[in-house]
Amino acid sequence: MEININVGTYDGKLLGFSLNDQFSQNNTLYSFPASTSLIKTIFQNGRYLFIGGSEELIKVYDVRRRVEITLLEQHNGTITQIAGHSNFLFTAAEDGKVNLWRNKQWAILNTFQCGNPVICIAVHESGKILACATKDQKLHLYNLMNLKRIALKKFHFNIDKIHFISKEDEIQYLLFQSDRKCYIVDCETNKVTHTIDITVQITDSILNQDSLILSDANGIVYMIKLTVDNQIQSKIIVKFVAHQKRIKQLQLFDLNEQTYLASISSDGDIKIWDCLLYANEQYDDIDLKNKLKPIYTIRTTQRLTCFCVSVVQRKQAEQEQQQEQTKIEKPTVVPIAKQIKKQLVNKKPKQFDQNIKVQQVQKKKIQKKKVELQQMNPILQSVLNSPQYSRSIPKKQHQFASIYRVPTKYKARSWKPYTERDKSEDYLVEQMRPKIRIRLPSLQHQDSNKSHQQMLPRESEKEKKIEITTKVMYYLSRMTGPENASKSKKYREKEIQSRLMPGVNSYDGLYDEMYDEDDN
């Protein structure tokens, strides 16, 4: 088990520390300027860390990968508080809005308009009720099931923090932290039933089952026991000095079936306490002062403003690292279609000579290949043996650069011995010469069912050039006008390239054949 502590400073820096479960070693994970101004609130929900301040932005970080994911820019004021429940995020700001976000998608689901700057928000454990306190001493309650306002109440005191006191999954009381007092309000009568007075200004408060933990500006921590029956009663159990200066924030975390208290102050110290072990005991002297000592302290030279604590299991972190390594080391599985493509492209055509010895050698090679086919995957073997795939056509007649399936029109032909005409150079040149393809834009409108690629028949070179030049000049005159048809070759190429059909990037070297004689 590891304890991760993320701390925000007045200068806008984000500090990260890690502790082991025995509180013996301290490692600094990171320290970098996350904001140009002070960081006012930090919240962590699983692997995501949220930071807000006077920049009017909410930065989202991935703690595991240590990477900034996104920025949430829907507020026009200082971010006052960030809260969350399961996969949802709530952000409050001084522009009077409370935004409801969905994690991972980072989309706004709803915006609650409070009218005045929002000081604090609180979400019930069930995730059905949202409470917002504004600067004009008003409390707004919203039902998150239908996203409508339930109640609006104005009090005679400022509300700095809200807590729900529930019994049997029903909210009975609301506890409000104010300047120097804590007020407990009954939800049925909407009246203050009990007050807790402290002479010094209260900086933070935490409600843990039947106990209330408070901190003041002098660095003192109070542990108060609450009894909720017919009447609410409060009693201070423990009181000790935690810091020399003002305590900025308190937080509880569970580790090895025990709850610990973490605190930060403006003097730059982070301390961890096991004071909750003394909550159920009774002391003659309530004021322990310096008798209670922290388990572990982390000293920084920064002015701290807020922090959050999370407990991470080492096994999960190790498993995640192993999974990432296996993903990298895992061999890539080649699909069957690509295997077929490689074998078809790399397949050489059969060549038979009149010599009997050469034919015998080729028969032995064919037998070896048959043995290889028997050891092959049965699915791949059945596909290769199908009639629609040819294995005896040279590469130059059919190209498999961007297709996996061989068209049915390319079928293997029966072998015939070479004649004198086949051995001639003119015949070989004609075979090696690529077929010329012209994409005519008008064919798409005439015959939509047919393809807009037209193959010219094999004729003599003169007739072929005449047909190509007449058609191209006709379509040049249609696309660029008769005046431009007599211009230079480069100009015509640019005009055609700009007006080709979508998806066509070239005209397959049409002008290279047409204007070889002109260039010479």
Side-chain angles (χ1 to χ4, degrees), residues 16 41 130 140 185 203-204 238 267 292 418 460 463:
T41 177
L130 172 68
H140 302 257
V185 179
T203 56
D204 198 8
V238 179
D267 59 358
L292 194 63
Y418 290 110
S460 62
E463 294 178 355

Side-chain angles (χ1 to χ4, degrees), residues 126-306:
S126 62
K128 296 179 180 179
I129 295 174
L130 172 68
C132 309
T134 55
K135 199 172 182 180
D136 57 349
Q137 300 179 352
K138 287 183 181 180
L139 177 69
H140 302 257
L141 290 176
Y142 294 95
N143 185 1
L144 296 177
M145 303 303 292
N146 55 11
L147 303 176
K148 291 183 179 180
R149 184 183 291 169
I150 302 171
L152 177 63
K153 176 71 176 175
K154 185 173 183 180
F155 296 96
H156 62 278
F157 50 84
N158 295 324
I159 301 172
D160 296 331
K161 204 166 185 180
I162 305 169
H163 299 284
F164 295 98
I165 300 174
S166 57
K167 189 176 182 181
E168 296 179 357
D169 297 334
E170 291 183 2
I171 301 170
Q172 291 184 349
Y173 301 96
L174 291 172
L175 192 147
F176 302 119
Q177 173 196 329
S178 188
D179 297 332
R180 297 186 179 183
K181 293 182 181 181
C182 287
Y183 299 92
I184 298 175
V185 179
D186 191 354
C187 293
E188 293 181 358
T189 60
N190 294 330
K191 293 182 180 180
V192 178
T193 58
H194 187 73
T195 58
I196 301 170
D197 296 332
I198 294 175
T199 56
V200 190
Q201 183 181 2
I202 301 170
T203 56
D204 198 8
S205 62
I206 296 175
L207 185 65
N208 181 27
Q209 295 178 357
D210 295 336
S211 61
L212 178 67
I213 304 171
L214 302 176
S215 63
D216 62 3
N218 293 332
I220 300 172
V221 175
Y222 304 86
M223 297 184 67
I224 302 168
K225 188 175 182 180
L226 295 175
T227 56
V228 180
D229 291 329
N230 295 328
Q231 292 181 355
I232 297 176
Q233 295 179 0
S234 62
K235 183 181 179 181
I236 297 175
I237 300 171
V238 179
K239 175 183 175 184
F240 62 94
V241 177
H243 294 272
Q244 295 178 357
K245 292 185 179 179
R246 169 184 221 160
I247 296 174
K248 298 295 292 183
Q249 191 176 352
L250 300 172
Q251 191 166 355
L252 296 173
F253 64 94
D254 297 330
L255 181 65
N256 297 329
E257 298 180 356
Q258 291 183 5
T259 55
Y260 295 91
L261 177 68
S263 62
I264 61 169
S265 66
S266 56
D267 59 358
D269 292 344
I270 305 168
K271 294 184 179 181
I272 298 172
W273 309 83
D274 58 350
C275 58
L276 293 175
L277 299 172
Y278 307 99
N280 296 324
E281 298 180 5
Q282 294 182 357
Y283 295 94
D284 295 333
D285 187 8
I286 295 171
D287 193 358
L288 297 177
K289 290 186 179 179
N290 297 325
K291 293 181 182 179
L292 194 63
K293 294 183 180 180
I295 300 171
Y296 196 83
T297 59
I298 301 171
R299 293 183 178 176
T300 62
T301 58
Q302 302 290 331
R303 185 180 172 186
L304 309 180
T305 55
C306 56

Side-chain angles (χ1 to χ4, degrees), residues 473 476 480-489 491-492:
M473 294 300 286
L476 272 174
T480 61
E483 299 177 356
N484 299 330
S486 61
K487 290 188 178 180
S488 64
K489 173 185 172 182
Y491 181 82
R492 291 195 297 272

Side-chain angles (χ1 to χ4, degrees), residues 82 134 190 195 262 264 375 389 469 493 497 502:
I82 302 172
T134 55
N190 294 330
T195 58
I264 61 169
Q375 297 177 358
Y389 288 94
T469 50
E493 286 179 357
Q497 190 69 29

